[in-house]
Amino acid sequence: MPRDSRTTKAGLLRAATDEFAAHGIAGARVDRIAAAAGYNKNLIYVHFGSKERLFDAVYEAAVTEILAAAPFDADDLPGYAGALFDFHVAHPHLLRLARWHGLERPGEVLPLAERAGAEKLRLLSAAQGDGRVDAGLPPRAMLALLVGIATTWGDGGPEPGAGAGSAAETAARRHAVVVAVGRLTRPYGAREGTPPAGGAPGEVPAPAAEVPAPHAL
């Protein structure tokens, strides 16, 4: 692809990312995207074919960026959660893209995200089986909770009674995410005096029998 074509396509993708994050697929307007990028709107159809395919390109690029910025590490799940938190704080629009995708494309999973989710579940299941991660929850449930904790404040939304945006507040939130994921995932034998849910003190929950399946990010 010629250099000017690559530049045009990249500019349209940047402008479309902001537009889709703010308005979703239905609310986005190709004329606003083109104006923000500084190009004729016909170039959107030349390079992407339709507004819907432009959204798909934007979302796939966002997923690729997230996977590269926060590699999954079953031996350091608090660190993984911290990296997710950092990424979404720096790129709040990408989390909004994911929410629009869930609302307007329910049930659809990118092949890239499906493969990554399946690999995360495989690694998490193996870590639970080896006793490196608490096995009190099935891998799918634990991964969903972990990501949910990491992205609680990803779009910068305030918590009740507290401001948002200061460096101190961001640091406090990140610390809370890392601590919460550590407590969720730490093997019972490594904890101090807290029995597993539904179990007696000293009772270690048996590993879940669930076989990992593809999981959306």
Side-chain angles (χ1 to χ4, degrees):
M1 185 181 293
R3 180 178 298 276
D4 59 342
S5 182
R6 288 199 302 267
T7 301
T8 300
K9 191 171 182 179
L12 289 170
L13 281 171
R14 285 193 298 271
T17 297
D18 293 335
E19 178 73 8
F20 285 126
H23 303 288
I25 303 174
R29 296 290 179 266
V30 293
D31 53 348
R32 288 199 298 255
I33 294 171
Y39 295 112
N40 187 296
K41 71 178 181 181
N42 288 334
L43 289 175
I44 291 175
Y45 301 102
V46 169
H47 289 288
F48 300 99
S50 68
K51 181 173 71 169
E52 290 72 19
R53 287 175 61 186
L54 175 58
F55 177 84
D56 291 341
V58 165
Y59 187 61
E60 183 169 6
V63 171
T64 300
E65 191 174 358
I66 293 168
L67 291 174
F72 186 78
D73 185 355
D75 290 313
D76 185 13
L77 294 173
Y80 168 66
L84 275 181
F85 175 88
D86 292 339
F87 180 86
H88 286 299
V89 166
H91 307 85
H93 57 288
L94 297 185
L95 186 57
R96 291 195 288 273
L97 275 177
R99 290 171 177 165
W100 281 118
H101 184 271
L103 287 170
E104 299 188 280
R105 296 283 178 84
E108 289 189 18
V109 182
L110 285 176
L112 173 66
E114 188 173 32
R115 291 192 299 270
E119 178 64 6
K120 290 176 183 180
L121 288 173
R122 185 189 70 78
L123 294 171
L124 185 54
S125 180
Q128 288 180 312
D130 293 343
R132 292 176 283 132
V133 174
D134 184 80
L137 292 173
R140 188 182 299 277
M142 179 169 282
L143 181 60
L145 287 171
L146 188 160
V147 172
I149 291 169
T151 57
T152 296
W153 294 296
D155 59 358
E159 60 186 89
S166 71
E169 181 65 23
T170 299
R173 290 176 172 186
R174 189 187 196 282
H175 177 72
V177 164
V178 171
V179 169
V181 170
R183 291 178 179 176
L184 172 69
T185 61
R186 188 179 304 122
Y188 173 65
R191 302 178 187 180
E192 296 181 359
T194 303
E203 179 183 345
V204 179
E210 178 190 23
V211 176
H215 187 280
L217 292 182

